[in-house]
Amino acid sequence: MIIYASQSFLIFCIVVAAVFGAAMGSFLNCAAWRIAHGEGFLKGRSRCPGCGRELGPAELVPVLSWLMLRGRCRGCGEKISVRYPLTELFFALVTALCLYRFGLTVLCLRNYVFLCCLFCLSLVDLDTMTIPDGVHIISAAAWVAALPFTFVSWADTGLHVLAGVVFGGGLLLVSLVLDKVLGRESLGGGDIKLVAVTGLYLGMAGSLFSMMLACIVGLAFYLLLRRRGGEGQAFPFGPSLALAAGIMLLFGEPLVRWYTGLLA
């Protein structure tokens, strides 16, 4: 954690980050919906998915608008999914944690871009069972662009690139074997690319723990789906990979130290 000038300034920064994060969560939710429906996410104002009416400024305030409208569109009265305020609150927390963990630094900005991509791809994958290549390109570009400002040695940079190749390539080989055994596609190409990009950010140890955590989260997700009558149904693995990568990005170092301490 970066040491701030005073506790009051730290609290102020976290509050501002949370407000900004809620707005960013709203934007990413909208972007994910448009990507899932084959629309350009940078053009046009937000609109009701039911009646298509463009939303006014008072309807675009994160969380508060949904509460004031009681979860319904002002125009057509159609119910607005609770997913919107929940994702806005969640990403407000993620933004505050990112700032608290990395401070006002280039590293914070780089990692925040990655967290935004993880969040967006998870929403798209939940809706379409696909992960757009654009999020991987943005994540990798942010990592490369930040290299001159993060003061990382060439050896460490090489290890992070190697981690992307090893874990991405390893998962590709596993998926090819499973495809042969199961007679169908086991893992999507988007999942493999996500693991490769995650290697750039987390390195060898972090990527290993991220994969282990993703398997646990994915298993829990599958069991929950099975309980609801979805046995045998395909489910997206991207959100599990993204959640695990986000957790390791924010809390990876203490988690690795805790685990290695148990072994010691």
Side-chain angles (χ1 to χ4, degrees):
M1 183 190 72
I2 303 299
I3 302 300
Y4 289 82
S6 65
Q7 187 176 10
S8 58
F9 181 62
L10 171 61
I11 295 173
F12 170 77
C13 289
I14 289 177
V15 170
V16 172
V19 173
F20 175 79
M24 181 60 72
S26 179
F27 167 76
L28 293 173
N29 207 337
C30 177
W33 188 92
R34 292 187 180 187
I35 292 172
H37 289 79
E39 300 180 12
F41 65 90
L42 292 178
K43 293 182 180 180
R45 292 177 55 181
S46 298
R47 61 184 186 271
C48 172
C51 63
R53 182 181 63 87
E54 287 191 352
L55 304 181
E59 298 171 279
L60 295 174
V61 181
V63 184
L64 294 179
S65 291
W66 188 89
L67 292 174
M68 290 187 295
L69 295 171
R70 299 181 180 179
R72 293 191 178 276
C73 173
R74 178 178 292 173
C76 65
E78 182 171 332
K79 187 175 181 181
I80 302 172
S81 174
V82 72
R83 156 176 157 169
Y84 290 93
L86 289 180
T87 52
E88 289 162 1
L89 287 172
F90 173 76
F91 208 68
L93 175 62
V94 169
T95 304
L97 286 173
C98 184
L99 180 67
Y100 182 77
R101 173 68 178 82
F102 301 107
L104 299 169
T105 61
V106 173
L107 183 63
C108 178
L109 179 60
R110 184 203 73 175
N111 291 343
Y112 188 63
V113 171
F114 186 45
L115 290 170
C116 288
C117 290
L118 292 175
F119 183 71
C120 185
L121 73 85
S122 297
L123 296 177
V124 175
D125 200 17
L126 285 171
D127 287 339
T128 66
M129 297 284 290
T130 60
I131 299 177
D133 289 335
V135 293
H136 303 313
I137 295 173
I138 293 172
S139 297
W143 185 81
V144 172
L147 282 177
F149 307 98
T150 52
F151 307 104
V152 179
S153 67
W154 286 109
D156 196 35
T157 300
L159 287 175
H160 279 69
V161 173
L162 181 62
V165 173
V166 169
F167 285 95
L171 190 61
L172 175 61
L173 291 177
V174 170
S175 69
L176 292 175
V177 172
L178 288 176
D179 290 350
K180 288 287 186 180
V181 173
L182 300 175
R184 57 180 174 83
E185 186 180 65
S186 55
L187 287 172
D191 297 332
I192 297 169
K193 296 171 189 174
L194 174 56
V195 170
V197 173
T198 298
L200 297 178
Y201 283 83
L202 300 183
M204 285 291 185
S207 295
L208 177 60
F209 277 81
S210 181
M211 285 297 300
M212 293 167 57
L213 183 57
C215 290
I216 296 172
V217 174
L219 178 60
F221 186 33
Y222 171 74
L223 293 175
L224 178 62
L225 187 66
R226 187 175 177 180
R227 265 181 86 91
R228 295 186 173 183
E231 186 174 358
Q233 178 181 341
F235 70 97
F237 193 42
S240 301
L241 291 168
L243 179 61
I247 290 174
M248 290 304 301
L249 188 72
L250 294 171
F251 309 109
E253 291 182 12
L255 284 175
V256 171
R257 286 199 302 268
W258 171 77
Y259 184 77
T260 53
L262 291 179
L263 296 178

